[in-house]
Amino acid sequence: MFSVRSVLALQLRRSILLLHSSCSSYSTSSAAAVQAERAISEGPRNDWTQDEIKSVYDSPLLDLLFHGAQVHRHAHNFREVQQCTLLSIKTGGCSEDCSYCPQSSRYDTGLKAQKLMTKEAVLQAATKAKEAGSTRFCMGAAWRDTVGRKTNFNQILEYVKEIRDMGMEVCCTLGMLEKQQAVELKKAGLTAYNHNLDTSREYYPNVITTRTYDERLETLEFVRDAGINVCSGGIIGLGEAEEDRVGLLHTLATLPSHPESVPINALLAVKGTPLQDQKPVEIWEMVRMIATARIVMPKAMVRLSAGRVRFSMPEQALCFLAGANSIFTGEKLLTTPNNDFDADQLMFKVLGLTPKAPSFDDAAANVYEAEACEKAASSSG
């Protein structure tokens, strides 16, 4: 005959087993859990299907956040966040019709077109950025492409060389590139080239008509072939569906090599642009996008980019937990406002974040340093 105590113990054991079974079942039923475990055990892969990425994206948010954090801790120093500065070195007057961009000459946003900044002004901005803790300096020019801009392009090559000599990573976003121009940027010491896909191939014509999706992919191919790191991501909040966000990530995750950097931007609607009335992106949308990107492209730097100014410190903390490990600092992101420097310093302190040092490809760095030494020796002789 069973005692009351033994019956209660048996019931408790059954309850624990049932709870354990329930938790195990929940864990394995989450695509985020399954794919995060695979990313940790097998590393990056380029054979993702769109349905696989969608199932990760659609996972319960807290589960997605947790497993994004797991992958992040496995692939990166999870407390390190790179501080980058983005400077518009040639503002406004762009012939493109990107419906989110205040720099398009087609829209009345009150932005006046300016000439390329002087070398002195650019280097002064880079020095200031480095002193403020930035380890990557990004230069953006409002051009459709660099064709027929030989003088300006040669000036930018000089800017790249000078800033690289300061010990900073250097990134440019100058529109579409030709193959030879990518090679020249590489020789100058460029670390990365940014060319965002913006959204899915299917939704893209709703946003831009003056440059095709394939032209964007071709530029990324030229950048990769030249040995420059690829920086390519997108913007959420353009009026796209969730399927388009998944489609963007699928395109990036199935490139022959994942981009080293994947900026995730939240639209900052600007008055005068066709998207001026778009609803602001919510933090949950940003977290879902970042965590999915982290799981499907585990080794990439996932950059919390435009739109960060709208998110509080606790909200940004969720983004870092989900897998973001880079931010832009400084007063502006090209032409839109950015977070306050002191607020960012406080956030690093409160959250226990540590600034990430610049990193360079060893082989590329050795070649660049050898060329620099050779140049110095010849000039001194």
Side-chain angles (χ1 to χ4, degrees), residues 235-294:
I235 308 170
I236 63 173
L238 303 172
E240 77 285 353
E242 289 189 343
E243 287 76 9
D244 296 305
R245 297 175 185 180
V246 170
L248 167 66
L249 293 176
H250 178 254
T251 299
L252 294 170
T254 55
L255 290 172
S257 297
H258 292 166
E260 283 78 10
S261 295
V262 180
I264 305 295
N265 299 277
L267 176 70
L268 282 172
V270 177
K271 187 176 181 181
T273 63
L275 295 179
Q276 64 178 10
D277 296 322
Q278 280 298 118
K279 184 181 73 171
V281 169
E282 294 188 15
I283 188 60
W284 316 117
E285 300 174 86
M286 203 68 172
V287 168
R288 191 173 288 280
M289 195 72 178
I290 288 169
T292 305
R294 172 53 65 218

Side-chain angles (χ1 to χ4, degrees), residues 136 139 141 143-146 153 156 170-178 181-182 185 190-196 211 216 219-220 222-224 227-233 259-261 263:
R136 176 181 285 220
M139 295 178 281
W143 292 324
R144 167 181 161 76
D145 52 47
T146 48
F153 187 76
I156 291 171
V170 191
C171 180
C172 282
T173 178
L174 313 171
M176 291 185 291
L177 284 180
E178 294 180 313
Q181 291 173 323
L185 284 166
L190 191 72
T191 309
Y193 193 84
N194 168 259
H195 201 62
N196 290 334
R211 187 192 319 183
R216 287 185 181 257
T219 291
L220 296 185
F222 290 159
V223 169
R224 177 66 72 200
I228 300 170
N229 285 351
V230 170
C231 177
S232 186
E260 283 78 10
S261 295

Side-chain angles (χ1 to χ4, degrees), residues 80-86 133-136 138 301-306 308 316 319-320 324-330 333 338-341 343-345 347-348 353:
E80 273 191 348
V81 173
Q82 185 175 36
Q83 297 173 88
C84 313
T85 296
L86 175 60
S134 286
T135 57
R136 176 181 285 220
C138 306
M301 293 289 291
V302 178
R303 302 188 185 274
L304 176 57
S305 301
R308 184 171 70 91
Q316 291 178 70
C319 294
F320 297 129
N325 54 349
S326 173
I327 59 171
F328 282 103
T329 62
L333 289 182
N338 195 32
N339 301 60
D340 179 73
F341 173 79
D344 281 344
Q345 295 304 300
M347 179 176 70
F348 267 64
L353 302 175

Side-chain angles (χ1 to χ4, degrees), residues 1 68 84 112 115 192 255 337:
M1 183 178 292
C84 313
K112 293 183 178 180
K115 293 181 179 180
L255 290 172

